[in-house]
Amino acid sequence: AISAADYDKYIKLQKARRGAGRFFKQCYNWTAGWVLPNYDLSEEDVLVPLNAAKLVDDLLEVHAHEALIDGCFNGDPHPGNILYANGKLALIDYGQVKRMSKQQRLDTAKSILLVEEAIKTDPRSKPTCSPKVHEHARQALIAHARKTGMKTKYDMDETYYQMMTVYLGRMDAAWVYPRNIIQWTDYMQDMDPLTDIDQVDHLVLLNMGTMMLRGLGQMLRQPRNMATAWAPTARKALAAEGMLEELDAEIASWYADEEEQTVDEEKKNN
């Protein structure tokens, strides 16, 4: 995907082209244009696009702040409720919002950081990652999902892992193929459906909203890993409550065995 910085460079180039073209037309109109037909300066012949990458980044950042810092987020951020003009973003229609308790907010922040790291260890994104490290990450994520109140009919570990990494992380082909995201959701519900959602209704609405934003990103060719996009805000939320160091230590422990093995191998080689 094209980055926000690259978009900015292209936009500046297009604005420069438009400015140069307009200057030429004005000069012509004030010289040869006295006797020859004028250029119509009301028409723009250079298209200056919006910065689609920045738009998607800003939308996810705002939504992350609403949920993880404010504890109150818009539950219906569809494209019709998003206005963008002259580089400025405006969000409208907060008729459907969801409030989160402090515990729900912090649990969600922890989920985001666990998902971010778990995806990094997953063979689908890093085939060379140690299976032991991946299993540590997988079990930590599954345990946290259960702790936060997720319940499925058959209580399958794989269901929790897949739902967490897709709904709070990636929904690209590597994670849902050969289905699209709607088919994948139906498949998961058929295989091991969520039952009691009273404790996680905030996550259900949060997922619906973020899928709209990520879907918009897909349409603009700006796919996003939600966990990566939300990680800075999640770290901020946990740090404010003194909970970040403990989580960082937990994640570091996943790699402890591999680091010890590497040290032992280096000692043998030396």
Side-chain angles (χ1 to χ4, degrees), residues 15-211:
K15 286 182 176 179
R17 286 183 59 196
R18 184 173 66 182
R22 190 175 185 84
F23 177 74
F24 168 79
K25 291 176 181 178
Q26 287 175 329
C27 291
Y28 175 88
N29 287 351
W30 281 96
T31 53
W34 284 101
V35 293
L36 297 174
N38 281 196
Y39 280 107
D40 183 357
L41 297 179
S42 66
E43 295 182 358
E44 299 290 354
D45 57 0
V46 176
L47 176 64
V48 178
L50 62 83
N51 190 327
K54 187 176 186 304
L55 171 63
V56 175
D57 289 340
D58 287 349
L59 285 170
L60 288 171
E61 182 179 353
V62 168
H63 211 62
H65 193 280
E66 289 178 347
L68 304 182
I69 304 299
D70 299 331
C72 182
F73 62 89
N74 184 359
D76 192 27
H78 62 76
N81 289 337
I82 300 169
L83 306 180
Y84 193 81
N86 299 322
K88 294 183 178 180
L89 175 66
L91 306 178
I92 63 173
D93 191 1
Y94 275 66
Q96 180 174 294
V97 299
K98 177 65 179 176
R99 295 187 182 277
M100 300 168 67
S101 68
K102 180 179 179 180
Q103 188 62 53
Q104 289 172 336
R105 184 168 58 82
L106 296 175
D107 282 344
T108 304
K110 182 175 180 178
S111 296
I112 291 294
L113 296 181
L114 288 175
V115 168
E116 181 192 32
E117 197 66 27
I119 286 176
K120 292 177 183 178
T121 74
D122 195 291
R124 289 171 290 186
S125 57
K126 188 177 181 181
T128 59
C129 187
S130 162
K132 287 184 179 180
V133 172
H134 172 57
E135 187 58 24
H136 284 311
R138 184 174 176 276
Q139 290 303 322
L141 190 55
I142 291 167
H144 183 65
R146 288 194 173 104
K147 182 181 177 181
T148 57
M150 286 186 67
K151 295 179 182 178
T152 65
K153 184 175 181 179
Y154 302 112
D155 197 35
M156 296 168 58
D157 284 0
E158 188 64 9
T159 304
Y160 295 120
Y161 179 74
Q162 295 299 338
M163 284 187 173
M164 292 286 276
T165 54
V166 170
Y167 291 145
L168 298 180
R170 291 175 57 174
M171 61 180 199
D172 55 282
W175 253 251
V176 302
Y177 185 83
R179 304 169 180 86
N180 60 39
I181 186 61
I182 301 301
Q183 294 170 334
W184 182 90
T185 299
D186 291 340
Y187 168 76
M188 295 300 293
Q189 282 297 100
D190 289 341
M191 183 177 69
D192 188 14
L194 283 169
T195 52
D196 182 6
I197 65 169
D198 288 345
Q199 294 186 56
V200 292
D201 59 343
H202 61 290
L203 289 179
V204 174
L205 196 58
L206 190 69
N207 172 60
M208 290 173 60
T210 56
M211 286 185 69

Side-chain angles (χ1 to χ4, degrees), residues 204-255:
V204 174
L205 196 58
L206 190 69
N207 172 60
M208 290 173 60
T210 56
M211 286 185 69
M212 291 181 195
L213 298 178
R214 287 188 286 165
L216 176 61
Q218 296 276 17
M219 291 178 62
L220 295 173
R221 297 188 179 182
Q222 289 293 323
R224 291 292 185 272
N225 176 343
M226 178 183 160
T228 300
W230 280 34
T233 308
R235 296 184 71 85
K236 180 180 178 180
L238 293 176
E241 299 297 327
M243 299 172 59
L244 184 57
E245 289 186 5
E246 180 181 353
L247 179 58
D248 283 341
E250 178 183 348
I251 292 174
S253 70
W254 303 348
Y255 300 87

